[in-house]
Amino acid sequence: MSVDRALIISALVIFVMMATTITGCWSRREIDTIGFLMAIGVDEAQEKGKIQLTVHVAKPFAIGGGAEAKGTTEEKPFWVVSSTGHTVFEAMRNLVSQSPRRPFLAHSRFILIGEELARRGIGDVIDWFQRDGEMRRRAWIVVAKGAKASDLLQVEFELEPMPSEGGMGIVMATRTELSTTITDCTLHCFLQQLEGEGADPVATRAEIILRPQEFDIRGELRREKVGASARITGAAVFKDDKLVGWLNKPETRGFNWIMGQVRSGIIVIKKPGEEDRFIGLEILRARGRFRPEFKDGRVSVTVGIEAEANVGDVQGFIDPLRFPEIWDSMERRMATVIKNEVMAAVAKAQELGSDIFGFGAELNRRDPEKWAEIKDRWDDEFPRVGVHVEVKAKLRRSGLVIRSTRIKR
Amino acid sequence: MLRKLWQVLFKRRQRRQSSGQVRTGSAEKRISSELPVNRERIKAAFGNSADLVLQDLETGAQGKVSALVVHIDGLCDKRLVAEVVIRQIADTEHEWNSAKQAYMDLKDRLLSGSAVKEVDSLDSFVASVSDGKCGVLVDGVTRGLVCDTRGWAQRSIDEPTTEVTVRGSKEGFVETLRTNTSLLRRRIASSRLWIEEMKIGRISRTSVAIVYISGVADEKLVQEVRNRLERIDVSAVYESGHLEEHIEDAPFSPFPTILRTERPDKVTGALLEGRVAILTDGTPFALIVPATFTMFLTAPEDYYERYFIGSALRILRLASFFISLTLPALYVAVTTFHQEMLPTPLVLSVAAQREGIPFPAVVEAVLMELIFEVLREAGVRLPRVVGPAVSIIGGLVIGDAAIRAGLASPAMVLVVAFTGIASFATPVFSLAIGVRLLRFPMIALAGALGLFGVVAGMAAILAHLTALRSFGVPFLEPLAPVVLSDLKDALLRAPWWALDTRPRFTGKARPVS
């Protein structure tokens, strides 16, 4: 046997031995050793200066994704657990002492923030969420109105066993096809607004609604499992990183009109001629834009909104073919409603002193020199900004019928 | 690198270079003028084999000339031997003055019904007889005659079992070389279809035919095929796969660089593209060189069905090629390294399925793949009667029981099953089996390094494929190097009226004549 050959054989043997013995786990983690965090809640801890982290962990075995559901239907498919720490990161690591499975963040849908902490400022807690490699910037930021995040994490939705999925279902439906009464507010855009000059962030608002544990429908005794549920609507207004107030549903849509984020929703107008009856209009498509300008040393903003809608339902009788003027007056009323929503949002924002629309940022883009002058007193200037709204409203179709049914009297 | 390693570890035995011809001994045995001497020599050459038939005949008016008829029982058509040879010799009433005259008469007139040939030496006489010909020796003449009376039991032309098509010719090659060449000749009725025959195998003397279309196939290519075949020095050729291993460009590659087929229409198409076919006696599998990667994903129907159907099927096959190579590896990588890549409901469902399974995903994958491979291998060689039993055990019991026993997750069974099916979508078995073998290193890479490992493995395979050549043609042509005109018939098939150029390697692009 030549030296050459011996060398190669021994190298091979060593290679095989190494390959079979030193293959460490590195970043390998089996899927069944991971605890998937579905939502993360942050509150002030009772202990002064500490942060309480509450997480909602999925229990896959209780979902029963396989051939047979292993868990009983009574078992909840999630686990809510909390821990404390001086920082979010420490609290997260402290969690490990309670969870047999390693927390995994990439599937977190929500970052919930308790109102108390939000009012105190969330700048110190938000850092970890953008710094950690597992966290996604697509997670939604939700502020619990009048509650702690840990309480909000206890809610359940009747149609979804997993509350995070249920919450996500509501968010997705609300922001698109149904009403657009929440704002698109992910960690990513929250951070952008937080850092951006002349802009303040908004977040989604959620309230806990309590439901009776048991109730009786027509003598039938039915167990209502859901004790507390959540209503996700409206928006939380921040000034810098501190919560300063809330937008209700119309105000939130007013905000969305300005931002051009309205996708659909219902506009209710009073029926022309019969002021006690209503007409529901469904928004088809909308465009919104705003243009801040300097006029006589003051800042004024022109908001332009174009909206199209269909007639959804009508109380009373209309016949637009014979009386076309009703169509015009419906359009006018629709424009008025939109304008009112926009003005309400502006008024609330100016009252709270928070430039959630980013008027300042847009000013900066259009006229950086003027902005440099006004920048330092923008906080004083913003509440005095004059907003002028122009709405072009158009009604398109009237549903399957044009004329209402004439009811015999 | 592998080749070097191989050479170091197993020093190749130095082979004696030989032309592959029967060693022409220095003293080639001549045919004696004495019939009994010849008779004894022939008997000795065959070791008095039981199937050797020697018949002494008297010919001419008074039976003045004696002759010896030699053939091998079973290789000759008995009726032909009786009518064309024996009766012609025995029944003739010619008046011959000498044996020489009788010999010439036999050669030119009496036996001419059977493609008679003249041989000079006893060795070639014996070789012809063992080839199935009928030999005739005349007393007093030092030359012999061989008549072509070959005819033996052979399988009838049948539908090829390994390459079934829905539409297209149902003829497949058989084990007899001459029948196979006739199948080709029938499809290309041109004198330009050239068939060169040679014998390979010192003992077996197997006929091997190089088939090409003169003027279409590159002469250099034909010469290269000839050279490589002539270099083969073996005692016997068992099957065309035996030749394939001797002449292929990359014997250490898991990918085949020679295409094999048992369909005459496929060979015809290849010949018309300027390729060369190698037909081997004793096997229905013909070899086609040069072979490129896209040919292995091509089925005859691509050309017979309308072009967009053919194109869609090719894309489907390419997709299943990648699936059969990477799907288990991707599954392992994603579930053990990149849980963030799956949608949330799916990741929870997969996690729920893996709940309580004792093995890591990579072990689970290898285990299930092994079970599948064993089932497949058992299924190939299964006697028909036990077939259903094994498929029940395999399909139902193992699949279901593995899940119930908690050894495998349903998702993994699905992945393995789908991978297995996808590997059967590759039309050429030799490529499919190579890919199946590569799947295991891919799973190991995925289990150790995640997607990074999968990508590294794919990159290595791609680099290897790019480096491969088949008889001078890059294996990935026309994809790499890109040959625009050849892309018409690579991953997609252009309509027939647009396929008006030959592949680049033939060197004769246009027109197709």
Side-chain angles (χ1 to χ4, degrees), chain B residues 201-240:
Chain B
R202 293 184 198 207
I203 297 174
S204 73
R205 316 277 310 130
T206 309
S207 302
V208 173
I210 304 172
V211 187
Y212 57 95
I213 297 181
S214 140
V216 176
D218 192 355
E219 187 46 46
K220 274 187 281 184
L221 172 68
V222 179
Q223 190 53 46
E224 179 64 25
V225 175
R226 250 180 241 134
N227 289 347
R228 290 195 192 184
L229 284 175
E230 274 164 9
R231 277 206 299 267
I232 298 175
D233 178 23
V234 289
S235 51
V237 175
Y238 305 103
E239 212 271 337
S240 55

Side-chain angles (χ1 to χ4, degrees), chain A residues 191-257:
Chain A
L191 288 165
Q192 275 186 340
Q193 301 283 328
L194 200 58
E195 175 132 15
E197 203 171 75
D200 287 303
V202 285
T204 306
R205 179 182 76 167
E207 291 163 277
I208 297 173
I209 43 175
L210 292 171
R211 286 189 181 161
Q213 280 288 343
E214 277 174 68
F215 59 88
D216 194 10
I217 307 166
R218 295 182 187 184
E220 235 179 285
L221 198 68
R222 181 167 157 250
R223 254 185 72 89
E224 173 65 72
K225 287 202 295 289
V226 175
S229 190
R231 185 184 291 129
I232 305 173
T233 183
V237 179
F238 284 76
K239 172 73 193 160
D240 300 328
D241 69 329
K242 290 182 179 62
L243 177 72
V244 289
W246 309 95
L247 296 186
N248 62 17
K249 272 163 74 170
E251 286 160 2
T252 309
R253 191 157 71 190
F255 171 77
N256 283 334
W257 285 118

Side-chain angles (χ1 to χ4, degrees), chain A residues 2 4-5 8-9 12 23-32 34 36 38 58-61 63-68 70 101 104 106-107 109 134 136 162 165, chain B residues 5 8-11 334-345 347-357 359-362 403-404 410 447-450:
Chain A
S2 67
D4 207 15
R5 213 163 142 189
I8 287 174
I9 289 176
L12 267 178
T23 49
C25 17
W26 194 51
S27 64
R28 208 193 85 203
R29 48 191 183 223
E30 291 298 326
I31 202 164
D32 45 345
I34 289 174
F36 291 97
M38 306 303 286
K59 288 197 286 190
F61 45 90
I63 303 171
E68 314 131 64
K70 280 176 189 154
R101 296 188 177 186
F104 183 69
H107 285 279
R109 303 282 213 186
E134 267 178 17
R136 289 207 170 167
M162 189 77 81
E165 295 302 297
Chain B
L5 200 66
V8 174
L9 289 180
F10 305 96
K11 288 242 167 78
V334 168
T335 55
T336 52
F337 285 93
H338 317 285
Q339 290 89 355
E340 65 277 3
M341 285 182 67
L342 293 172
T344 307
V347 80
L348 291 178
S349 163
V350 171
Q353 291 174 23
R354 276 201 50 81
E355 206 63 56
I357 288 168
F359 307 116
V362 57
I403 295 170
R404 280 172 190 279
L449 302 172

Side-chain angles (χ1 to χ4, degrees), chain A residues 250-267:
Chain A
E251 286 160 2
T252 309
R253 191 157 71 190
F255 171 77
N256 283 334
W257 285 118
I258 297 176
M259 308 307 287
Q261 285 172 351
V262 172
R263 293 184 180 88
S264 184
I266 308 299
I267 295 174

Side-chain angles (χ1 to χ4, degrees), chain B residues 74 131 157 185 225 236 378 423 428:
Chain B
D131 215 22
I157 294 173
R185 185 72 78 178
V225 175
S423 75
V428 182

